[in-house]
Amino acid sequence: MADKLEDIILRHQVYLQRLVPQLGAEQIAMIDKNNPQLRGELIQFLEDNEFYKLTKEQQNKLAVFRNKVYKLRGGAINEAGEKYQGDMLDLAEREQMWFADGVEDLGGKSLAVSSTSALAKMVERQPFVGKTLNQIYTKLSVDDTDRIMTSVSDGLNSGLTKQQIQNQIFGTKKLGYTDGILQQTRNYINNNNTNSGVVRTTVNGVSNESKRLLYEANSDIIDKVQYMATLDGRTSNICASRDGKIYKQGSEPPLPAHINCRSTYVPIIDGLDIESTRPYVLDSRTRKDREKDFRKEARERGVKIKTVR
């Protein structure tokens, strides 16, 4: 049963990663919904302050404008965070039910699942790589506003035109509006590098923590867990080194282990160990080199680049 359970969990992890882009796109759509109004407010502010001078009166005007920016962008970010917290509670409940049903189907064992209130408390209070969901979105709402205001004040001080300041913030049509500072927030939410990827990190975190609570509640059946990393060219050194290690239930290292972590734990039920010496090949190319190879293969195969990725 254990080997089958390992296969099922590994396959489930792959499906779980496919959920990330969808959730990320939903977050970004909510965060960007007020951008047309923000652009209008910015244009009006720049027109009213065409002859900018660093005075106390001007600083007061900037403070008033900052409040408008925060209301539009920060408000949308906090709203997206509240919606996402509800999504994560739904995910936690589904993860526990999926696992409990899977174990029962495989071995006939019934597992006790956590209450909705216990899972809601976990989603609300559990830190993922140092911050709770509320802390992540609260800080992001402030950082996003600060980046916009820095761009505005620096642009005015430097004598940039109204259009140049707009381009700095929103980006240019030529590059699909991905070259402005608003893109930093989008990347933070839904990118895949060492400094960003809130959705990927927290989806895996909520999934693992919900299952950890399940294992804990059924410690009479589940006494050990085994580390399972997603082994490919993007596997981190820490996860690769832990892959296959067995821990006493309750003493295992917390997950996620890092930003964009995709690892999970496989429970060992009734002391049945799982042999796991799965090899993988480390991709030593830089991100830039990989991107060149992706584009070349996409041209040769006549497919979209995202298919190759």
Side-chain angles (χ1 to χ4, degrees):
M1 182 192 74
D3 288 336
K4 290 182 179 179
L5 184 58
E6 182 183 21
D7 291 341
I8 289 171
I9 291 177
L10 183 60
R11 189 161 56 245
H12 181 72
Q13 282 297 102
V14 174
Y15 292 144
L16 198 62
Q17 295 308 311
R18 294 177 181 175
L19 179 65
V20 170
Q22 175 188 334
L23 288 172
E26 290 174 359
Q27 291 284 291
I28 291 169
M30 291 185 68
I31 291 171
D32 284 348
K33 68 178 182 178
N34 294 330
N35 284 1
Q37 187 177 348
L38 174 64
R39 186 185 287 272
E41 292 284 358
L42 174 62
I43 292 171
Q44 185 63 57
F45 177 79
L46 294 176
E47 288 178 349
D48 292 343
N49 296 273
E50 186 172 1
F51 302 103
Y52 176 81
K53 290 183 179 180
L54 188 59
T55 62
K56 184 174 180 59
E57 180 184 1
Q58 186 63 60
Q59 292 303 302
N60 291 336
K61 290 180 179 179
L62 278 169
V64 171
F65 180 61
R66 188 188 191 284
N67 289 335
K68 292 181 179 180
V69 172
Y70 183 78
K71 184 176 181 180
L72 291 171
R73 289 285 297 182
I77 290 171
N78 288 324
E79 182 182 342
E82 291 176 5
K83 167 68 166 53
Y84 187 58
Q85 193 159 305
D87 292 338
M88 290 301 95
L89 173 57
D90 184 54
L91 174 66
E93 291 181 313
R94 290 174 182 270
E95 286 292 278
Q96 281 208 354
M97 291 304 300
W98 165 81
F99 185 82
D101 289 346
V103 169
E104 189 167 355
D105 289 344
L106 286 172
K109 297 181 182 295
S110 296
L111 300 181
V113 298
S114 304
S115 65
T116 298
S117 61
L119 290 175
K121 187 179 294 185
M122 178 273 289
V123 170
E124 178 183 353
R125 299 180 182 179
Q126 178 67 23
F128 301 104
V129 196
K131 294 186 182 70
T132 66
L133 286 176
N134 183 60
Q135 289 170 336
I136 288 170
Y137 283 87
T138 298
K139 186 175 187 303
L140 180 60
S141 66
V142 175
D143 290 347
D144 180 271
T145 300
D146 286 345
R147 283 192 290 267
I148 294 172
M149 293 308 302
T150 298
S151 186
V152 170
S153 59
D154 286 354
L156 288 171
N157 283 321
S158 302
L160 298 183
T161 66
K162 293 190 285 289
Q163 190 59 55
Q164 286 174 323
I165 294 174
Q166 287 184 65
N167 290 346
Q168 278 192 348
I169 295 172
F170 295 97
T172 59
K173 184 177 182 180
K174 180 180 180 180
L175 295 178
Y177 301 104
T178 60
D179 53 328
I181 61 170
L182 298 187
Q183 189 65 28
Q184 292 184 39
T185 294
R186 301 184 192 109
N187 289 344
Y188 182 74
I189 291 289
N190 198 32
N191 204 355
N192 184 30
N193 61 51
T194 55
N195 298 314
S196 59
V198 164
V199 174
R200 189 177 304 281
T201 305
T202 54
V203 161
N204 195 47
V206 168
S207 171
N208 277 304
E209 188 62 17
S210 65
K211 291 198 285 288
R212 188 195 66 78
L213 291 175
L214 185 72
Y215 301 161
E216 187 180 75
N218 295 274
S219 57
D220 57 325
I221 298 174
I222 303 170
D223 58 347
K224 296 179 182 178
V225 293
Q226 186 175 35
Y227 203 97
M228 179 191 289
T230 300
L231 299 179
D232 57 21
R234 294 185 290 123
T235 308
S236 68
N237 290 335
I238 188 171
C239 289
S241 66
R242 289 176 178 174
D243 184 62
K245 288 187 177 180
I246 295 174
Y247 301 90
K248 181 71 175 176
Q249 199 273 115
S251 65
E252 68 276 15
L255 290 175
H258 54 80
I259 296 292
N260 284 310
C261 181
R262 297 168 293 160
S263 298
T264 189
Y265 284 107
V266 177
I268 297 175
I269 299 177
D270 288 341
L272 182 59
D273 289 351
I274 302 171
E275 295 297 330
S276 181
T277 55
R278 300 176 295 135
Y280 80 106
V281 178
L282 179 64
D283 189 344
S284 60
R285 295 173 296 175
T286 65
R287 179 176 294 274
K288 185 177 181 180
D289 288 338
R290 283 201 302 271
E291 197 65 22
K292 288 180 180 178
D293 291 342
F294 291 156
R295 293 184 183 280
K296 180 181 177 181
E297 185 177 342
R299 288 194 299 270
E300 292 173 348
R301 291 170 53 188
V303 298
K304 293 181 178 179
I305 189 171
K306 68 178 182 180
T307 302
V308 180
R309 290 197 187 100

